[in-house]
Amino acid sequence: MAYNLLKGKRGIIFGALDENSIAWKTAKLAHDEGATFVLTNAPVAMRMGEINKLAEETGSEIIPADATSIEDLENLVSKSVEILGGKLDFVLHSIGMSVNVRKGKHYTDQNYSWTEKGWDVSAVSFHKVMQTLHKHDAMNEWGSIVALTYMAAQRTFPDYNDMADNKAYLESIARSFGYFFGKDKKVRVNTISQSPTPTTAGSGVKGFEGFLSYAEKMSPLGNATAQDCAEYTMTLFSDYTKKVTMQNLFHDGGFSNTGVSQEVIEKF
C-alpha cells in the first residue's frame, strides 16, 4: 500500500544492481510513493547488473557515475537537477566494496592498495557525493541523505574484514558532514545500520549464511529484510523525520541491543 510519502520529491539513488539489492527495492518503493529520481552506478557495476529493467519499471533515467570521481559526480548532480526539473530532496548512498574480501585476503594480511580502493569506494565516496551536492547547492531545504552501514563499525565481526573500518569511517562522515549540511542548508544526513542482508555485496563475506542464521536467532524481531530497509528509508526521505540528523539508526530487529537470546543459549 502506497501513502504518497514522497509525492513531488526528486532524488538520486546510488547502487541498484539487481532485484536483491536494497537500492533496487528502495527505488521501486520510492516510485510507488510518488518520487521521481535518477539511477546511478559505476559503469562496471552496470554491466554486471540489470539497472535498465529498473529504469523502465520506474520511468527513471540512468546516469553512469564512478562515485570516487569528482568529475563524474559533478556531471551526475548537474544533469540530475536538469532532468528532474529542480533541486533534490533525497539521495541514497548504497555503495560498498572490499577488494581484500573479494580476493580472500585476511584482515591481518591486507594488500593496502586494495584497502585504499575499498575505503575510497565504500566511505570517502560518501564525502565526495555530499561535497558535490553542497558546493552545487543541489539539495532543497529539509532534504534527506541516507547511507547504508553495518554494525561491524561498532563491534568486531572477524570475517567482515576491512569493510568494518570502511563503515566506521562512513558513519563518521555522516556525523561530520551532517553538521555542516544541517547548519548551511537544513539538510539531514543519516546512516542506517541494517541487518545482515543477502545482497550481492553482503553474500561475498566469508561465513555469511551462518551469520545470517545467528543474527536471526539473536534478534527478537528477526532480521530486517532488504524490503524492510527500503520501507524504513522511505520514512527518512519523508517530511515526517525533518529533525532527525547525524544519527546512525539501527534497523536490525533488535540485534544491536541483545546480549544473548534464549535460542542462542539453547543452541550452544
Side-chain angles (χ1 to χ4, degrees):
M1 182 186 295
Y3 302 94
N4 281 325
L5 282 178
L6 305 186
K7 186 176 182 180
K9 292 192 182 296
R10 300 178 285 255
I12 299 174
I13 295 177
F14 287 80
L17 184 66
D18 57 36
E19 291 180 338
N20 295 318
S21 70
I22 292 169
W24 184 292
K25 294 183 186 299
T26 300
K28 293 269 286 183
L29 199 51
H31 173 68
D32 292 345
E33 292 293 345
T36 56
F37 47 83
V38 164
L39 296 167
T40 185
N41 213 328
V44 64
M46 290 177 64
R47 288 196 295 272
M48 293 163 48
E50 306 166 0
I51 196 170
N52 290 322
K53 176 184 172 185
L54 179 63
E56 188 176 329
E57 290 178 359
T58 60
S60 305
E61 292 201 35
I62 303 167
I63 302 176
D66 175 354
T68 67
S69 163
I70 295 296
E71 184 181 354
D72 280 14
L73 290 173
E74 288 182 339
N75 178 64
L76 170 66
V77 168
S78 61
K79 281 192 174 177
S80 295
V81 170
E82 181 183 334
I83 289 166
L84 297 170
K87 291 185 183 182
L88 308 173
D89 300 292
F90 63 88
V91 174
L92 176 68
H93 179 283
S94 181
I95 306 170
M97 184 276 295
S98 166
V99 186
N100 283 305
V101 168
R102 194 177 288 171
K103 294 185 178 289
K105 270 285 188 182
H106 195 268
Y107 185 77
T108 60
D109 184 33
Q110 291 187 37
N111 177 316
Y112 289 118
S113 65
W114 295 350
T115 305
E116 289 167 11
K117 177 64 175 173
W119 173 70
D120 197 13
V121 171
S122 304
V124 182
S125 67
F126 191 39
H127 194 285
K128 291 176 179 178
V129 167
M130 287 196 285
Q131 180 170 289
T132 305
L133 292 166
H134 190 271
K135 281 186 174 181
H136 286 261
D137 192 24
M139 296 292 296
N140 278 320
E141 283 196 352
W142 306 110
S144 175
I145 301 171
V146 172
L148 300 181
T149 185
Y150 181 54
M151 199 175 70
Q154 290 84 33
R155 299 186 190 176
T156 300
F157 296 90
D159 292 325
Y160 204 62
N161 209 310
D162 58 334
M163 275 303 298
D165 303 333
N166 295 339
K167 293 300 190 185
Y169 197 87
L170 178 85
E171 292 175 18
S172 180
I173 289 169
R175 289 186 295 271
S176 298
F177 219 121
Y179 173 82
F180 294 107
F181 237 140
K183 293 289 285 185
D184 298 343
K185 313 283 187 182
K186 287 189 168 60
V187 170
R188 55 205 196 270
V189 181
N190 296 288
T191 53
I192 297 175
S193 189
Q194 168 70 1
S195 292
T197 310
T199 61
T200 301
S203 300
V205 176
K206 182 182 173 185
F208 180 80
E209 287 300 324
F211 184 67
L212 192 68
S213 175
Y214 169 75
E216 179 72 27
K217 288 180 169 60
M218 275 284 286
S219 308
L221 297 179
N223 289 332
T225 66
Q227 182 65 27
D228 292 333
C229 189
E231 291 169 3
Y232 188 43
T233 304
M234 292 304 101
T235 69
L236 292 176
F237 286 167
S238 80
D239 291 335
Y240 288 108
T241 51
K242 279 186 173 180
K243 294 300 176 74
V244 180
T245 195
M246 300 162 62
Q247 301 299 309
N248 180 45
L249 301 159
F250 288 99
H251 184 250
D252 59 8
F255 180 93
S256 51
N257 275 331
T258 303
V260 69
S261 68
Q262 192 62 39
E263 291 88 342
V264 169
I265 290 172
E266 289 171 0
K267 180 78 174 175
F268 291 100

